[in-house]
Amino acid sequence: MVTPDVAKGLRELGDSLASQDRPAGYKKLLDQIVSSAASPRELTSNLEVFIESVLADNLGIVAARPLLAAAVESIRSVAELDLRIQAGTTALRLVGPRVTSFEEQDAQLRGILADAYTLQEEYVEAAKVLQGIQLESSQRRIPDDHKVSVWIRICRLYLEEDDTTSAESYLNRAKNLRHQVSNPELILGFQLSEARILDARRKFLEASQAYHSFSFSNVLDEEERTRALSSAIVCAVLAGAGPQRSRALGKLYKDDRAPQVPEFGILENMFLDRLLSPEEVTKFSEKLSSHQLAQTSDGSTVLAKAVVEHNLLSVSRLYDNIGLDELANLLGLDADKAEGYAARMLEQGRIAGSIDQIDRVILFGDIVGSTERGGSEQRRTVGAKRLRKWDARVQGVAEELERIASMIQLHNPVSKFRRLGGPRPLTSSRILHRPKWLIEGTS
């Protein structure tokens, strides 16, 4: 409730002073309101009445604007958030009918309310208040940087409530002016918002690339860069297994800063195609956000799906073939689900091989083509690949045998070895042999 001295001062301004003296009188009364307020509630009540009186008086726009601007700054100084919101909301309602004349003051009021709502973690209310700012105006010139800053702020507020649809609509507005913005902080804000939207929409591979680029910014402090790198690793882990994710994992693994983040262990295991244990996955899941633990259409979580696909890719590189029951045991699934995952990855070209449903076996590796047009050429290509693979294995066995022979000779000198009637040491030239069926496959 308004105090008696303020009510008396407002009556005197309306009755006794001439119109040219009223602005100075209002300014003096405002100083009195701010300096003599006994409590935040009293200050709020007096400011509301003061703003209403200024807008109701025929002071003229030129005289009213500085008085209203000073009153708005006084609202900003109210300590209690609830009272600040109450005073700001009342002032905004009073300014509303004449907003075209007081656009600057309206924008200031909305900024104050948005700050207060944000401190109370009412992010949607803060975003709605900011949406009312007039950014396309004939009354004042608004720089592109200011427009982008408002849109990015609204976008980030919606992201705090996981409303990616609304957030993306304001990010797209900022995208149209992105190349006209010179403020590095705004550019970083745009990049971070874009990465978070990609993350929330489960476009993890693109989000990982965006976070990784963000982590190299010199404007950020070391802690922020490390956090961005950590987010990049998390998104790369959650991405679907395949060549693109393998390249992303390699890029992150080779980053000199990667060993400093807690997620480096799972990054290393994925990059080196190691099978992930349930304990490791459970520990990693404790750090994920809610949308990263959401269920997919088949009932599994995003993390569970990513882990199954990764382990299946690792199995394809460890084995030439594997039974469906054994594969299901390794993946922690039933046989039908394991076959479904394998079929989908084979169809998408993320692993090479075929499924023999009669023998219930998955054959990993190259598939011999048909005998139709181009079939003979494809068979020659596959035969050559198999031949190189055979040669590599034979070479590995020969090198291992030669190493063993060298160790035997080290402990048993050659003269002693021959004196005992031992055979000549094995060398790779003595065991190289190509099966006839492999040679025929290349013809």
Side-chain angles (χ1 to χ4, degrees):
M1 184 175 179
V2 62
T3 55
D5 56 336
V6 172
K8 179 181 178 182
L10 290 173
R11 285 196 301 270
E12 292 176 351
L13 285 172
D15 296 339
S16 59
L17 291 180
S19 59
Q20 63 271 19
D21 297 329
R22 286 179 184 172
Y26 274 111
K27 182 64 174 66
K28 183 178 179 181
L29 180 60
L30 178 61
D31 294 339
Q32 177 185 339
I33 291 173
V34 173
S35 60
S36 62
S39 65
R41 187 174 299 278
E42 180 181 306
L43 175 61
T44 301
S45 301
N46 289 337
L47 285 173
E48 291 175 1
V49 174
F50 177 84
I51 292 172
E52 184 177 9
S53 179
V54 169
L55 293 174
D57 203 336
N58 296 323
L59 292 176
I61 295 175
V62 175
R65 279 177 179 170
L67 292 173
L68 189 57
V72 168
E73 290 302 318
S74 299
I75 293 175
R76 191 191 301 274
S77 65
V78 176
E80 294 184 21
L81 294 178
D82 291 334
L83 294 177
R84 192 189 308 172
I85 291 173
Q86 176 187 331
T89 303
T90 302
L92 205 60
R93 175 178 55 81
L94 295 172
V95 173
R98 301 177 62 183
V99 66
T100 54
S101 302
F102 301 101
E103 289 182 356
E104 183 68 30
Q105 290 72 35
D106 177 81
Q108 291 175 353
L109 279 170
R110 292 182 182 278
I112 292 171
L113 285 173
D115 292 339
Y117 280 126
T118 302
L119 291 173
Q120 290 187 336
E121 298 184 357
E122 297 180 25
Y123 302 114
V124 173
E125 292 299 324
K128 289 180 178 178
V129 167
L130 291 175
Q131 289 174 18
I133 296 177
Q134 300 292 326
L135 296 177
E136 302 295 336
S137 173
S138 58
Q139 304 293 326
R140 59 190 180 121
R141 182 182 176 279
I142 303 175
D144 291 335
D145 283 16
H146 181 68
K147 294 179 183 179
V148 172
S149 67
V150 173
W151 290 331
I152 292 297
R153 185 178 180 186
I154 295 173
C155 172
R156 297 179 70 171
L157 287 168
Y158 277 122
L159 284 174
E160 292 296 329
E161 293 291 336
D162 294 329
D163 186 353
T164 55
T165 303
S166 300
E168 190 170 17
S169 67
Y170 282 92
L171 183 70
N172 290 335
R173 296 187 189 187
K175 190 178 296 183
N176 296 328
L177 298 176
R178 179 182 179 181
H179 299 291
Q180 301 179 27
V181 173
S182 57
N183 189 334
E185 292 185 3
L186 287 181
I187 296 174
L188 285 176
F190 178 89
Q191 292 175 345
L192 178 59
S193 299
E194 187 175 36
R196 290 183 63 184
I197 288 175
L198 291 171
D199 184 358
R201 290 193 174 278
R202 302 180 191 174
K203 297 180 179 180
F204 294 117
L205 196 59
E206 299 173 30
S208 175
Q209 295 170 352
Y211 278 126
H212 197 207
S213 299
F214 184 75
S215 70
F216 289 107
S217 174
N218 294 326
V219 179
L220 301 174
D221 58 25
E222 187 64 28
E223 183 180 354
E224 289 292 332
R225 289 198 294 268
T226 303
R227 189 179 295 117
L229 178 62
S230 178
S231 299
I233 294 175
V234 168
C235 289
V237 169
L238 294 175
Q244 289 184 333
R245 193 196 68 162
S246 297
R247 287 192 292 270
L249 290 173
K251 190 176 181 181
L252 290 166
Y253 182 74
K254 294 173 184 176
D255 194 315
D256 295 336
R257 304 167 297 166
Q260 302 173 8
V261 300
E263 295 80 9
F264 179 73
I266 194 169
L267 169 66
E268 183 178 34
N269 289 339
M270 280 197 159
F271 175 70
L272 298 177
D273 293 326
R274 297 169 180 166
L275 292 172
L276 300 178
S277 64
E279 295 78 12
E280 185 178 12
V281 174
T282 302
K283 183 178 179 181
F284 177 75
S285 66
E286 295 173 355
K287 305 172 184 178
L288 299 182
S289 304
S290 57
H291 70 275
Q292 294 170 334
L293 294 171
Q295 290 189 343
T296 58
S297 57
D298 59 358
S300 62
T301 64
V302 176
L303 176 61
K305 183 178 179 181
V307 170
V308 169
E309 290 182 351
H310 165 76
N311 285 343
L312 183 52
L313 183 62
S314 299
V315 167
S316 72
R317 293 175 179 173
L318 289 172
Y319 298 91
D320 287 334
N321 57 74
I322 189 171
L324 289 175
D325 295 329
E326 289 77 9
L327 177 64
N329 186 41
L330 284 174
L331 299 181
L333 302 171
D334 57 60
D336 291 338
K337 282 191 175 182
E339 183 181 358
Y341 272 102
R344 183 164 54 252
M345 293 184 69
L346 286 167
E347 181 184 3
Q348 295 171 353
R350 291 191 281 167
I351 58 174
S354 62
I355 300 178
D356 187 337
Q357 292 183 317
I358 296 176
D359 294 333
R360 295 180 59 76
V361 173
I362 299 179
L363 306 171
F364 297 113
D366 301 300
I367 307 169
V368 179
S370 65
T371 58
E372 298 177 1
R373 181 171 57 89
S376 60
E377 179 66 27
Q378 188 173 11
R379 284 198 305 276
R380 283 194 294 271
T381 303
V382 172
K385 288 182 178 179
R386 285 183 171 179
L387 185 58
R388 288 193 296 270
K389 189 174 181 180
W390 172 267
D391 285 348
R393 289 181 175 177
V394 170
Q395 182 180 353
V397 173
E399 290 174 353
E400 186 65 19
L401 286 173
E402 199 157 346
R403 186 183 67 84
I404 294 172
S406 299
M407 291 177 65
I408 292 174
Q409 290 177 2
L410 181 65
H411 294 284
N412 300 277
V414 175
S415 58
K416 179 181 178 182
F417 188 78
R418 288 183 176 174
R419 191 166 57 247
L420 293 174
R424 287 183 300 159
L426 290 172
T427 61
S428 59
S429 61
R430 298 182 58 201
I431 65 171
L432 280 175
H433 172 67
R434 293 178 178 176
K436 184 178 179 182
W437 65 268
L438 272 176
I439 298 173
E440 291 175 351
T442 61
S443 60

